[in-house]
Amino acid sequence: MSDHTSDAAQSAPPDSATAADSDHDTLSLSVPSMDCPSCAGKVESSVSDLGGITDIDPRTASGTLVVGYDPDRTTPAAIRGRVEAAGYEIEDSDEPYDPMAIWTSSRSIRTAVGGVLLLVGIAFEWVVPAANPTLATVLGAEIGLDWIAYVVAAAVPGTTILRNGYYSARNLSLDIDLLMTGGILGAIAVNLPFEAATLAVLFSIAELLEAYSMDRARGSLRELLALSPETATVRRDGEEEVVAAEAVEIGDRVIVRPGEKIPVDGVIREGTSAIDESPITGESVPADKGPDDEVYAGSLTEAGYIEIEATAAASDSTIARVIDLVEAAEGEETDTEQFVDRFAAVYTPIVVAAALLTMTVPPLVVGGPFTEWFVRGLTLLVIACPCAFVISTPVSVVSGLTSAARNGVLIKGGSHLEAMGDVEAVALDKTGTLTTGDLGVTDVLPLNGNTEADVLACAAAVEGRSEHPIADAIVDRAADTTDGTDDRAVEGFEALTGEGVRAEIDGVTHYAGKPALFADLGFALDHAHLETDGGVTAEGVDAADDSDETTAAIAADEIADCEHGQYLDLLSETIPRLQQAGKTVILVGTDEELEGLIAIADTVRPEAAWAVDRLRANGIERIVMLTGDNERTARAIGETVGVDAVQASLMPEEKVEAVRELRESHPGGVAMVGDGINDAPALATATTGVAMGAAGTDTALETADIALMADDLTRLPYLHTLAETADGVIRQNIWSSLGVKLLLAVAAPFGYVSVLGAIVIGDMGMSLGVTGNAMRLAGLQPEEPPTTAD
């Protein structure tokens, strides 16, 4: 297909040159009518004739041509000229997008005129033959009003076809334009004006419909492009001014009012707001943001005035990088596309040869009117066009990639989409993937008459100067629990390597650390006394505050009685049980008294178990957790989320080996899901590497095959479902279009298929069919895990 009208599809700036490196520049052109491999081949052949061209990347899925060139040897104007010399128009992005522009284009008008003239000719020939006198006879052909109407009907819309056919011949491209040109001229030459007019008009209608449907498929990418506002309000020298988003500089103070879109990536410096980040992360629930929180260009402020400090230029924003990566991904050919192109390169010449043989051999061998066999051969020429077959895969890929991007999943190529649909096993990192990666206090157990607040206050005071994540978790919990009025003097802080920390609080030495530290201090951890005056009861519930879930640190059967009250065997019972649950245990006390126990754990993502279950329901054969954490903690997390196997205490190279072993046992492929940074070697080893939480991480965007923009595991089952569905759609499109083409090709020589049927069914019908089928992917939405009532 090659509709050389401006259908207003806009997926990239039409004439945007960027510096690729010190020696070469890159030019991006919007060429909406370049929508099939044949079109791309003609454009590439024409542009490559220029000197100084270093790289040509025609992206038919988005109608974009990206050209690398040496500015010392050629210019953007020269490149534009070569594109136009190949017969393709370059679109001007200054014109607003109009989805109906295709129907008001010059080609559409010419096609309409041709259609009217075709009907006039039919009326003269069949409805009012008495009003159709013979005006002349030329070389034995009678020229009547119907003949004139047919020829003009073929000529008016056919000029575009003939022009494109000329460019195809000049570029030695055996494509639909050349075939239709030969068909129209041949039909006129053998005095078949009705067939010539029918071919020209119906083929032009088919081209317009295919261009319209392709434009709709490209609409998803246009939606991404429209996310970022074109202007921004900035405060400079104390004055507000509205500038182009591209003019915002790093460090500028950008003002965003309720209902406005954020123009650039930045950090909030003033104000709070509920912000809809669904265009970037796919998360439908607005996030509450305040000072020091990151925000992304394209997000919508639903309530609240904010001022942000720009941290990136508009061209370097997260959404801009996503769009660039999606556009680049759409330009990559999948294995299936390469197969289809190879098949089409064989199919078309064979069918063209069959058409020529049908026109010439049967009249000599089996007899019959030459015109009848010519029409049958002409029908085969129409069938020889592999357009529907060729576009069946790229239109599915572009629909899948842009649908994923709208839902917070960046897929960096159709090959990765295909591969994800075939995976049989999934390997999941623990920290930051199955868990949030943020440590939190889960249990507080006061001992020897202390309260929970006492234990947290002492622990926070001791840990306050530590930079360890465990210390941060304790300090944060203490801040939430106490009233913040602890003004005791803390001196002499010391980190005890591998054991904990020590500091003096109001002159008394306090410790916080591993159980082994307190065992070395001489405490009998197998006999630790509890609070006995109205605090912890034998049922393990804090009578002072029975709503506090942290008191679950005590199990009823662990409490024993002694002459001094009740005690716990921390060493053999309580601590092992907490560690078995994947928690890290910290004891707090002085040289003389054990004050309490604090348990800390990485929080399992609430959707993790649901995501694992959905992956298994989707057909994933094996789900494995790979982690560098200790065996006991890893197994506790693994049991909680329901993975099939756990491999713990792995070094990075051991994770790589584990992924490699999974690939050997699962030939369909393995997806590795991690943070995109620490897991980079394992991600690279897997068939498909998936990075979590990539919205604010440049490295993850660059290194992963697929990036989940938000820290949300619900997108993982959606990704697999989308990939599987896309694989199915591609197979349906390929085999249905191929089957129809082959059926028509077999039937045409026997006269069972007319030119009209070949165009309406084999060309226009199948092209519209595969495009419509591919667009089903745009409607696929992520499932949400069921909410559990408290």
Side-chain angles (χ1 to χ4, degrees), residues 238-262:
E239 299 290 334
E240 290 187 17
E241 59 178 302
V242 178
V243 300
E246 291 77 9
V248 177
E249 299 177 357
I250 295 175
D252 274 349
R253 184 64 67 95
V254 180
I255 297 170
V256 187
R257 293 180 170 83
E260 294 181 349
K261 287 184 178 180
I262 296 173

Side-chain angles (χ1 to χ4, degrees), residues 459-505:
V462 177
E463 297 276 16
R465 298 184 184 181
S466 172
E467 297 180 354
H468 196 283
I470 288 178
D472 293 338
I474 292 173
V475 171
D476 289 344
R477 178 56 185 272
D480 292 338
T481 304
T482 64
D483 59 10
T485 59
D486 190 350
D487 55 0
R488 291 179 293 177
V490 180
E491 298 176 344
F493 173 83
E494 180 184 359
L496 306 175
T497 305
E499 294 185 318
V501 294
R502 174 175 58 197
E504 291 186 4
I505 304 176

Side-chain angles (χ1 to χ4, degrees), residues 108-157:
S108 181
I109 294 172
R110 290 195 301 271
T111 301
V113 172
V116 171
L117 291 171
L118 175 60
L119 294 176
V120 170
I122 292 173
F124 277 124
E125 182 177 8
W126 300 104
V127 180
V128 287
N132 184 34
T134 299
L135 303 178
T137 302
V138 179
L139 299 177
E142 295 182 350
I143 308 299
L145 293 177
D146 61 336
W147 192 96
I148 295 174
Y150 288 145
V151 171
V152 177
V156 173

Side-chain angles (χ1 to χ4, degrees), residues 328-368:
E330 291 174 351
E332 297 180 4
E333 280 198 338
T334 66
D335 292 341
T336 304
E337 286 179 86
Q338 293 173 11
F339 161 75
V340 168
D341 290 345
R342 291 194 301 269
F343 182 89
V346 175
Y347 165 85
T348 299
I350 289 176
V351 179
V352 169
L356 295 176
L357 291 174
T358 301
M359 292 177 182
T360 56
V361 175
L364 301 176
V365 177
V366 300

Side-chain angles (χ1 to χ4, degrees), residues 31-341:
V31 190
S33 53
M34 182 188 68
D35 48 21
C36 67
S38 173
C39 304
K42 283 193 288 186
V43 173
E44 188 170 358
S45 175
S46 180
V47 174
S48 63
D49 289 340
L50 279 175
I53 301 299
T54 60
D55 182 62
I56 304 175
D57 181 12
R59 302 172 182 175
T60 57
S62 59
T64 304
L65 177 69
V66 180
V67 181
Y69 66 98
D70 183 347
D72 294 331
R73 299 180 60 194
T74 191
T75 64
I79 297 172
R80 290 170 64 92
R82 294 309 304 169
V83 174
E84 292 168 348
Y88 293 83
E89 296 180 7
I90 298 170
E91 186 182 82
D92 184 1
S93 66
D94 292 335
E95 298 178 3
Y97 170 67
D98 180 4
M100 301 306 293
I102 186 67
W103 305 116
T104 58
S105 65
S106 59
R107 183 170 192 179
S108 181
I109 294 172
R110 290 195 301 271
T111 301
V113 172
V116 171
L117 291 171
L118 175 60
L119 294 176
V120 170
I122 292 173
F124 277 124
E125 182 177 8
W126 300 104
V127 180
V128 287
N132 184 34
T134 299
L135 303 178
T137 302
V138 179
L139 299 177
E142 295 182 350
I143 308 299
L145 293 177
D146 61 336
W147 192 96
I148 295 174
Y150 288 145
V151 171
V152 177
V156 173
T159 53
T160 301
I161 301 172
L162 297 178
R163 183 195 65 179
N164 298 338
Y166 162 74
Y167 288 124
S168 297
R170 194 173 73 173
N171 288 283
L172 302 178
S173 177
L174 184 60
D175 60 11
I176 186 63
D177 293 319
L178 184 58
L179 296 178
M180 293 302 100
T181 295
I184 292 170
L185 294 178
I188 295 293
V190 298
N191 195 30
L192 293 173
F194 170 75
E195 282 73 10
T198 301
L199 192 61
V201 171
L202 291 182
F203 177 68
S204 293
I205 293 174
E207 291 278 84
L208 291 169
L209 287 172
E210 291 171 16
Y212 177 68
S213 61
M214 195 69 173
D215 186 48
R216 288 184 61 198
R218 292 169 177 165
S220 297
L221 186 56
R222 274 195 303 273
E223 291 175 10
L224 290 178
L225 287 165
L227 288 175
S228 296
E230 297 180 355
T231 61
T233 303
V234 298
R235 179 179 290 120
R236 292 172 177 168
D237 299 325
E239 299 290 334
E240 290 187 17
E241 59 178 302
V242 178
V243 300
E246 291 77 9
V248 177
E249 299 177 357
I250 295 175
D252 274 349
R253 184 64 67 95
V254 180
I255 297 170
V256 187
R257 293 180 170 83
E260 294 181 349
K261 287 184 178 180
I262 296 173
V264 293
D265 286 2
V267 176
I268 296 177
R269 294 306 182 201
E270 182 179 328
T272 59
S273 177
I275 297 178
D276 178 5
E277 295 182 329
S278 58
I280 294 89
T281 65
E283 176 56 57
S284 58
V285 179
D288 292 328
K289 299 272 186 169
D292 298 328
D293 287 335
E294 285 186 326
V295 292
Y296 306 113
S299 301
L300 178 68
T301 55
E302 295 197 345
Y305 168 96
I306 58 173
E307 293 186 12
I308 66 173
E309 179 182 330
T311 56
S315 59
D316 295 327
S317 67
T318 299
I319 189 65
R321 294 200 305 273
V322 168
I323 292 170
D324 289 343
L325 291 169
V326 170
E327 286 184 330
E330 291 174 351
E332 297 180 4
E333 280 198 338
T334 66
D335 292 341
T336 304
E337 286 179 86
Q338 293 173 11
F339 161 75
V340 168
D341 290 345

